[in-house]
Amino acid sequence: MRSTRIGLIAAAAALALGATACGSDSSDGGASGGSGGGDSIKIGIKFDQPGLGLKKGEEYTGMDVDVAKYVAKELGYDADKIEWVQAPSAQRENLISTGQVKLIFATYSITDKRKEKVSFAGPYFIAGQDLLVRADDTSITGPDTLDGKKLCSVTGSTSAQKVKEKVPGVNLQEFGTYSECVAALVSKGVDALTTDDTILAGYAAQDQYKGKLKVVGKPFSEERYGVGLKKGDTALCQKVTDAIKKMISDGSWQKAVDDNLGPAGYKPPAGNPPTPDACA
C-alpha cells in the first residue's frame, strides 16, 4: 500500500515538472523579465520605410532592423529566432501593452506622452525633421524658403503641422502615405516632402530615385529614436540600453548607418552617435 502511494506521488511530481517545462515556452515575445533564452523573440518594425524598416518578400532590411538584430543577439537570440511584426505608428503602444511584441524599433521618438504608456531604452539615433526635394532644385534650402511652395506630408502628421505653423504661406498637400508624396515630388506635382530626415534619406537612396532626389540637410527638430518595451520592465530596459552602448562603441552602429542611409549622401545630425541613457 505504501509503495503504491509513493508511486502515485512520483507520477504527480513528474506531471508537474512536465507542465512547468511546457509553460516555459516563449509566449510573451521572449526575453521575459529582461533575460534572453526563449525560443524566439517578437520585434516590431516598420515594413514600408526604405533604409529603416523594409519588408521585401521574406527579407527585412534597414537601420532599425540592423540595430534590432544586434540587440537581440546580446539578449541571447540569433537572427533566425526573431519574429518580425509590423508596427504601424498608431498601433505601437497597443502592440507592446498587449504583449504582441517584446520590443519595437520603428523610428519611435521618445516623448513624455508616450512614456505614460510604454518604457523606452536608448536612444539609438537622433533624427530631425527635414525636407526632400528634387536633385536639381536649388530654390529650397530650408523651411524659410517654402513660402508659396507646394509641400507634401502625410495626413494628420506632426511634421506637416510643424511646417504649417512655421511657414504660414506654404501650400500644404496632405496624402495618405509618404510613397504617394515621393511619387508626386518626382512628377513635379509638389515641390518638397517633409518628415524625419532618416525616412527621407531612405527614399532618396532607393534605386529608382538615386540622382533624382536629395535631402536638404537642415533639420529643424530633434527626434530621439528609442526602443519601445513594456512599461516598468527596468531589467529589460537596462539590457537593451547596454546593448546599444556596446553597438556604438564597437563600430557596428556606424556601419549600420553607413550601409542603410549612406547611399543617399545622408549625414547624421548633431548629437549622433547618441548617449543611450533612457530607461523610463
Side-chain angles (χ1 to χ4, degrees), residues 5-6 71 87 98 103 110 131 159 173 177 187 196 216 246 265 280:
R5 199 178 300 121
I6 292 172
V71 170
T98 57
L103 302 170
I110 301 171
L131 300 167
S159 297
Q173 309 286 309
T177 66
S187 66
D196 291 359
V216 169
K246 182 177 178 182

Side-chain angles (χ1 to χ4, degrees), residues 227-249:
V227 183
L229 50 96
K230 188 174 181 180
K231 186 169 177 62
D233 193 343
T234 54
L236 178 58
C237 186
Q238 192 58 58
K239 285 179 179 290
V240 173
T241 296
D242 289 344
I244 294 169
K245 288 179 180 178
K246 182 177 178 182
M247 185 179 189
I248 291 170
S249 66

Side-chain angles (χ1 to χ4, degrees), residues 129-132 141 197 214-220 266-267 269:
Q129 186 176 343
D130 210 325
L131 300 167
L132 185 70
T141 57
D197 53 3
K214 66 181 180 182
V215 180
V216 169
K218 289 187 178 179
F220 46 95
Y266 175 80
K267 294 181 180 180

Side-chain angles (χ1 to χ4, degrees), residues 24-35:
S24 67
D25 287 343
S26 180
S27 60
D28 66 346
S32 182
S35 301

